[in-house]
Amino acid sequence: MRLLPRFREERILREEVALVYRNYYVGIFGFFLVTVIASTVLYIVSDPKGIFYWLAACAVVSFIPLFRYWRMDDKNIDPYREATKQVWDFIFIGTVWGSMSLLYTEADSTTVMVSITALSTGLAAAALAMQSPCLPVFLAYAYTSLPALALSMFLLGGQVYIAMGIAGILYLITLTVFAYNLELTVKNSIELRFENIELIEQLRNAMTETKEANRAKSVFLASASHDLRQPLHAMGLFIETLNSTKLDAYQQSVVKHVESASEATRDMLNTLLDFSKLDAGVIEPRPRAFRIQTLFNKMEKELGATADNKNLIYRTRDTKAAAYADMSLVELILRNLIINAIRYTEIGGLLIACRQRENQTLVIEVWDTGIGVPKKELSNIFREFHQLGNPERDRQKGFGLGLAIAKGLSDTMQLKLSLNSEPGSGTVFRLSLPEAEISVVEDIPTNQSPNRFDGRQVLIIDDDESVRLGMRELLLSWGCDCLIAESADEALALTGSKAPDLLIVDYRLREEKTGRGAIELLRDKLDVNLPAIIITGDTAADRLREAQTSDALLLHKPVSSSELQRTMASLLEKT
């Protein structure tokens, strides 16, 4: 028989039943212990007949529920059925306990009735704490035990007993109200817990979907970046080869425009690459001492013409200071800051200066007279893909990554990058650097004279035919003896037992092989530690980290001819 209709949500009732069961052992054993004490007291005080039968009945109604609970399978219970069983358990327990007070209605012993009353009200209070999570279970006990106590008082008669009987009824009503409120509290707590679990699950699912979307986006962007870099790299090689031939004025003009478009595309892809490197965590600062002025001169030589094209004044304040930091990373930060200043300045110009501060600190400052940054945007200015004054996403204004890269690089080197700005008047960016002794400086190399590699044999391994052909034509124009191969096995067949002077290898080859593996294979088969350059179009974080583990020099497609030439020269000088 089901005493509980299915008006309760099953999962809530399941938790309420579990809360009652949680104290089942202690509660039932406690009840039986009280019955033993009551039997002993009543036996001593009144020497009643049948007390042992009553005690035996208490033992039966106490231990049968415990035996059933011990054999219960928690995972496959029906909460409605279990709640009904609990109700019946405590109806029997309450009835047996209440019968005790009716057995002594003729005793007329104040001591006996006070003892029975104290024990009954105490058990009812204990039942309130144990059974209140499921109100029907508490009511099953309270409304069988306490009404019997009140009835026994009324049967005894007399003002004192009648008053005690009325007090017992009021006590029962009070406990009922308390139990109702406690059950509401428990129920609300359970509902809140389930809501939290559901919210956590929704959040977990949303995070999983977000991670999967980010992973898919990263895979797509990495694949798209690699596939874009391949033809751009080949195009750059052919343009450089074409530049080395005899062209008339018109042809030179056309090639210059093509080269300009190629360089613009390469710059944008390299910006994304810098951001990918930061995201992958593969940038490791290598600090050393260098002259700030040498860096200023290099930046003015590279970017001064861009400012001149916009009729902006580009000024550099000379300095004798030397800094201790990663020179190439500081150069990249400064380049991004200067490009940003030029990009957002239409009238006036920019000033690059270095100031000495206390505690052996230098501050490189980039001033401009551009549009400035509103105060509400100051906290967002270093966010990726965040741009001011470019709602149409003009590609000439970049991706909005320059300042994010500058901030990321400064954080990587644990340097402070800050700004002050006034809308309509301009902005100043400040990069703080540790100062170095002038005597230990290492200048940025300024020798940009072209190198030739007459008679040097270079082995190129790349699975893209256009890249192989473009690289061969370019290296032939530099005097190299060039071998090209699609795989490491083909390269071994070409070289035989003679080792080339230099390896130039694409990182991603066919059949899921890598350039690092190709280099290791050739070095092992030829038994010589060949100098090598890995050129990759991959920007995925895991690929970048993997490529960084090789001892070969790493370049990223599209590679400029000057960068390739300098890298080859640095390796071949050692052989």
Side-chain angles (χ1 to χ4, degrees), residues 221-237 262-274 276-277 460-472 474 485-486 504-510 513-515 533-540 543-544 547-548 553-561 563-564 567:
L221 289 177
S223 299
S225 176
H226 176 270
D227 294 343
L228 283 172
R229 288 171 181 273
Q230 289 287 99
L232 283 172
H233 178 59
M235 183 176 69
L237 297 175
S262 176
E263 289 179 355
T265 306
R266 183 174 66 242
D267 289 342
M268 287 190 288
L269 287 175
N270 286 338
T271 299
L272 290 175
L273 174 63
D274 293 334
S276 297
K277 287 181 178 179
I460 299 168
I461 304 176
D462 199 301
D463 59 354
D464 189 296
E465 183 179 6
S466 62
V467 172
R468 293 197 303 271
L469 296 177
M471 187 71 76
R472 183 183 64 180
L474 179 61
E486 185 178 5
I504 299 180
V505 186
D506 184 25
Y507 184 72
R508 186 194 293 186
L509 301 173
R510 297 188 188 279
K513 295 183 178 180
T514 66
I533 299 173
I534 292 179
I535 302 181
T536 181
D538 277 301
T539 58
R543 295 275 190 171
L544 288 174
Q548 288 286 118
L553 293 181
L554 184 64
L555 299 178
H556 294 273
K557 297 178 181 179
V559 181
S560 68
S561 60
E563 182 180 13
L564 178 61
T567 306

Side-chain angles (χ1 to χ4, degrees), residues 288-295 322 327 438 440-446:
R288 58 181 182 271
F290 65 95
R291 294 182 185 274
I292 298 293
Q293 186 61 45
T294 307
L295 184 59
M327 183 171 53
I438 299 292
V440 294
V441 297
E442 179 180 343
D443 291 337
I444 299 175
T446 57

Side-chain angles (χ1 to χ4, degrees), residues 323-325 330 333 337 355 357 360-365 410 413-418 429-435:
Y324 185 78
V330 173
I333 293 174
L337 295 180
R355 302 178 187 274
R357 302 296 188 189
Q360 294 185 322
T361 300
L362 302 176
V363 178
I364 296 178
E365 299 178 340
S410 63
M413 293 188 289
Q414 299 181 345
L415 303 178
K416 180 181 178 182
L417 178 62
S418 60
F429 287 91
R430 294 184 173 92
L431 176 67
S432 299
L433 300 167
E435 188 174 12

